Amino acid sequence: MKAFWYNEERKNVCGLRIRQLRKSQKITQRKLAIMAQLAGYGFISESSIIKSELGSRFIPDYEVAIFAELLGTTPEYLLGLTAEEL
């Protein structure tokens, strides 16, 4: 089923920007998962981050806001609606 496919290869728009920001801030996927856990978002695991960045996982809107918070940017930037991060 392709109901959640963004294009032929990805299920999300923001995974590539999440990876780019995470790497530019020198944060590992494991550390980002720990940051999410400590912020009270226990449902965001290292596995879900890996799959999100690879584009093999759909990212719900509330998680876009969480990733933006954790990475110090805006949901609009992660969604590709703006070219600038904060």
Side-chain angles (χ1 to χ4, degrees):
M1 180 169 99
K2 291 198 173 204
F4 295 114
W5 286 83
Y6 165 63
N7 63 28
E8 293 295 318
E9 299 171 2
R10 303 191 61 80
K11 290 185 180 181
N12 65 62
V13 176
C14 55
L16 294 174
R17 286 201 174 183
I18 290 170
R19 180 182 343 175
Q20 175 236 346
L21 282 172
R22 178 184 61 74
K23 286 186 169 195
S24 72
Q25 296 176 26
K26 297 185 182 355
I27 299 172
T28 64
Q29 292 165 328
R30 177 168 288 173
K31 183 176 179 183
L32 185 57
I34 291 168
M35 290 167 58
Q37 301 282 320
L38 292 174
Y41 307 116
F43 52 88
I44 296 180
S45 65
E46 183 178 0
S47 174
S48 66
I49 292 167
I50 291 167
K51 290 176 183 176
S52 296
E53 289 182 0
L54 290 173
S56 63
R57 176 180 178 269
F58 172 77
I59 303 175
D61 55 0
Y62 59 90
E63 285 187 27
V64 173
I66 292 167
F67 281 119
E69 174 189 332
L70 294 172
L71 294 167
T73 191
T74 64
E76 291 83 6
Y77 176 76
L78 292 180
L79 292 168
L81 301 175
T82 61
E84 298 179 21
E85 50 184 298
L86 284 178

